[in-house]
Amino acid sequence: MKKCILTLSILFLSISSIFGALSIDDLINLSKNIGTLEIAWEKFLDYLQENPSDTRISEVGELISAKIYLYNKYKDFYFVNELITENIKSFCINLGVLSTDFRIPKEDTEKIIFIFPQIPDIVEEILTTGNFSEPSYKYLYKLEGLNYFIIVDSYDLFVQKIIENSIKLPIFFDEDMKHFVLTFVPKNNFALFEEIINKSKYIVNEENYLGIYSLLSFLNDNNALKQSLVIYSQLDKYFSLKKELTSLNNSVFFVEKQELSSFISQVFDVGNELKDLQIEKTLLSNMYYSLLKTLNSKLESIQECVPIEKDFEELTLAFNNEINGEILKLQNNVVRIQSYPVGKTNVSTPLADQKSEEKAQNNEKINFTSTFLYVVVGIGIVILFVLLYFELFPSYNKINFLCNLKFGKYAVHLAEKLVIKDPGNYKNFLILARAYEVLGDYTSSINAYRSAINLKDKNVNVFDKKDS
């Protein structure tokens, strides 16, 4: 396709030389193709000598020189092709493929704005209305210094939209969106997030917790959390308990008999914290109920009381009838260590036997641990060499292997390296799309798939031309 355009451009130049000099618009069109970019500059210099009074001379000269400069500097990046062709949407999509740490320096941003003068207006529109006409525009934060071209009177609608979208779909407020907010919204406006959240009824609905927690965590990470510290601490505790309850529910089936005392103590501690949580917690209560029910079934199958140090009387009547009933059952399956009569042989002897048994088990664990450490160190060395091999020589198959193992984050890292190394290969964007999909970043995955399709179409056109 590029070869075809280049051929047509050369043919156009030949015809123009016969029928007359090129116009200023002809020069602009020539600059929209990498193959004729240098020719556009040469013809511009000729035009300058012949038409020194043309009012558009300065504008077109800066445009062509900006393209030549950016192409020479970023020719290894796929987005530079979209700069030359002046395709702003594709330019933003290809910016999104790069790491969140990638930035284009301020002096280069000024040249890009000369090519895309609509960029400041696009960002102002987003910050004024909160609407992204194109999702890929969120990647414009990677242009350093762009915020100096932006003038916004109020950020209320933008913040409102960010909150609404984040609550509907928590993944909306991803790392790129956080960087967009940090870049274009002054910190003295961050208080708007708290004001809108506190005035709304979002917090009373448990389904909204993840989106709100993500927003408040963002404010907390940037030292901008003031009015909502209590809500944030409650949500932080909520998700901490959710993580603990998930872990306990997953491991309750596999707890060994000698570990039951410690496990039951953890169940008590989680219940004690859950009892004090002041926000809606139906989901956590259901998880706790499931945990207690499964634990009681396990204890009933053992048919002997487990000694513990915790007093489950403290949790009595702290929950609903179902949970309170399971707590009462648990009390019948355990016995507090403090309740053993001192000096009676029928109690002290089992305890002494238990200590001897635990000591023997500890010795076995020490021997097992030593062997286990040697195995772990050996495996660690192998893994280190494998990672080093993957890092130095990334390939489509290696990244696909990582995707199959669900190592999305590392797969994205290697895929980005592959794209930077060979941005003209559509397969690199294809495997990047798959890596994003495994990571759960579906927006970036779709963008990468589109880049792969566009690039593949271009390559197909090139091969078709060669065959003809």
Side-chain angles (χ1 to χ4, degrees):
M1 186 67 181
K2 290 180 181 178
K3 188 176 180 181
C4 179
I5 294 174
L6 180 59
T7 303
L8 290 174
S9 299
I10 294 173
L11 180 62
F12 172 74
L13 285 173
S14 301
I15 295 172
S16 298
S17 63
I18 296 172
F19 292 99
L22 295 174
S23 69
I24 199 78
D25 291 323
D26 294 334
L27 296 175
I28 294 174
N29 290 330
L30 283 174
S31 73
K32 291 182 180 180
N33 185 275
I34 294 174
T36 57
L37 187 57
E38 293 292 342
I39 296 174
W41 180 251
E42 293 174 7
K43 295 300 178 181
F44 167 76
L45 295 177
D46 294 339
Y47 185 88
L48 176 62
Q49 291 178 354
E50 297 170 5
N51 305 276
S53 60
D54 192 322
T55 56
R56 297 175 64 189
I57 282 290
S58 176
E59 173 191 343
V60 175
E62 287 190 47
L63 175 67
I64 298 174
S65 65
K67 287 185 177 183
I68 292 173
Y69 169 84
L70 292 170
Y71 175 74
N72 289 331
K73 184 171 182 178
Y74 298 102
K75 58 186 175 182
D76 292 332
F77 294 84
Y78 192 68
F79 68 76
V80 78
N81 297 319
E82 313 308 330
L83 277 173
I84 304 303
T85 59
E86 300 182 23
N87 188 331
I88 187 170
K89 180 180 175 181
S90 296
F91 167 71
C92 292
I93 290 172
N94 284 284
L95 268 185
V97 171
L98 302 173
S99 165
T100 54
D101 296 326
F102 177 81
R103 293 293 184 277
I104 292 178
K106 181 181 176 182
E107 59 271 18
D108 296 347
T109 294
E110 293 175 355
K111 291 179 172 59
I112 290 173
I113 291 177
F114 204 88
I115 298 171
F116 296 125
Q118 68 270 42
I119 284 181
D121 293 333
I122 288 172
V123 177
E124 285 182 8
E125 178 72 13
I126 292 170
L127 295 173
T128 303
T129 66
N131 295 320
F132 285 82
S133 56
E134 285 292 341
S136 60
Y137 288 157
K138 69 179 179 179
Y139 303 122
L140 287 171
Y141 73 85
K142 296 180 180 181
L143 304 183
E144 285 188 345
L146 177 56
N147 54 312
Y148 296 116
F149 294 85
I150 309 301
I151 299 175
V152 178
D153 295 327
S154 172
Y155 296 88
D156 292 46
L157 282 177
F158 174 76
V159 174
Q160 178 71 48
K161 287 286 187 179
I162 291 291
I163 293 173
E164 290 176 359
N165 291 329
S166 299
I167 288 174
K168 289 178 185 175
L169 187 66
I171 197 174
F172 171 83
F173 198 62
D174 58 9
E175 288 303 311
D176 287 300
M177 190 59 69
K178 290 175 184 177
H179 283 294
F180 186 91
V181 172
L182 282 171
T183 302
F184 297 115
V185 179
K187 277 198 172 183
N188 58 359
N189 285 275
F190 281 13
L192 288 170
F193 284 94
E194 291 186 275
E195 291 177 13
I196 294 172
I197 290 173
N198 291 335
K199 288 179 182 177
S200 69
K201 295 182 179 179
Y202 294 134
I203 193 65
V204 300
N205 192 335
E206 199 169 355
E207 293 179 354
N208 298 334
Y209 285 178
L210 184 56
I212 296 173
Y213 181 63
S214 177
L215 291 164
L216 295 182
S217 296
F218 166 74
L219 297 179
N220 185 62
D221 292 342
N222 290 281
N223 301 315
L225 190 63
K226 297 177 182 178
Q227 303 173 22
S228 307
L229 283 169
V230 174
I231 295 175
Y232 174 72
S233 64
Q234 287 285 300
L235 289 174
D236 191 55
K237 176 58 67 177
Y238 177 94
F239 285 105
S240 174
L241 286 172
K242 185 178 179 182
K243 183 178 179 181
E244 275 192 81
L245 283 166
T246 300
S247 175
L248 290 171
N249 272 293
N250 289 339
S251 58
V252 64
F253 296 101
F254 310 104
V255 179
E256 298 292 340
K257 183 178 177 180
Q258 63 270 19
E259 298 172 339
L260 277 171
S261 293
S262 173
F263 186 85
I264 295 172
S265 295
Q266 292 179 56
V267 172
F268 171 84
D269 292 337
V270 169
N272 212 24
E273 292 184 75
L274 183 59
K275 175 189 69 174
D276 296 331
L277 198 61
Q278 299 301 311
I279 57 177
E280 177 63 37
K281 52 190 175 185
T282 302
L283 175 61
L284 299 190
S285 296
N286 291 338
M287 293 175 71
Y288 194 55
Y289 171 69
S290 175
L291 173 63
L292 290 170
K293 194 169 183 177
T294 306
L295 179 59
N296 279 326
S297 297
K298 188 179 185 72
L299 292 175
E300 286 167 4
S301 66
I302 295 175
Q303 295 184 342
E304 62 180 79
C305 291
V306 177
I308 60 168
E309 296 180 355
K310 305 292 184 178
D311 185 5
F312 274 85
E313 288 286 344
E314 297 178 21
L315 299 182
T316 305
L317 303 179
F319 299 97
N320 59 35
N321 292 334
E322 288 183 328
I323 295 178
N324 290 335
E326 292 300 325
I327 290 174
L328 289 174
K329 285 184 184 179
L330 186 57
Q331 286 179 284
N332 294 328
N333 291 320
V334 300
V335 58
R336 292 192 67 200
I337 292 176
Q338 290 88 334
S339 66
Y340 282 109
V342 179
K344 287 190 178 182
T345 56
N346 64 332
V347 174
S348 59
T349 300
L351 286 176
D353 292 341
Q354 183 180 356
K355 288 183 178 179
S356 299
E357 184 181 347
E358 288 178 353
K359 185 175 181 180
Q361 289 172 350
N362 287 337
N363 290 333
E364 290 179 7
K365 286 182 178 179
I366 290 172
N367 294 331
F368 174 77
T369 301
S370 300
T371 305
F372 180 73
L373 284 175
Y374 285 116
V375 174
V376 169
V377 170
I379 293 174
I381 292 172
V382 172
I383 291 174
L384 182 62
F385 277 108
V386 171
L387 288 176
L388 186 61
Y389 176 65
F390 274 50
E391 190 72 28
L392 292 176
F393 307 103
S395 69
Y396 183 98
N397 290 334
K398 294 187 183 76
I399 298 168
N400 190 48
F401 174 72
L402 292 173
C403 290
N404 291 335
L405 295 179
K406 305 302 180 185
F407 292 165
K409 190 171 183 180
Y410 189 56
V412 167
H413 166 70
L414 291 183
E416 286 179 347
K417 291 183 69 173
L418 207 58
V419 166
I420 292 172
K421 182 179 179 182
D422 186 7
N425 190 336
Y426 79 94
K427 288 186 178 180
N428 295 343
F429 284 93
L430 206 58
I431 195 62
L432 177 65
R434 175 136 194 264
Y436 274 125
E437 185 178 338
V438 172
L439 186 63
D441 189 347
Y442 299 107
T443 300
S444 297
S445 176
I446 291 170
N447 291 337
Y449 273 122
R450 286 175 179 168
S451 297
I453 292 170
N454 291 337
L455 190 55
K456 184 178 180 182
D457 289 342
K458 291 180 181 180
N459 289 338
V460 168
N461 289 332
V462 170
F463 290 133
D464 288 344
K465 183 62 181 178
K466 286 182 177 179
D467 292 337
S468 64

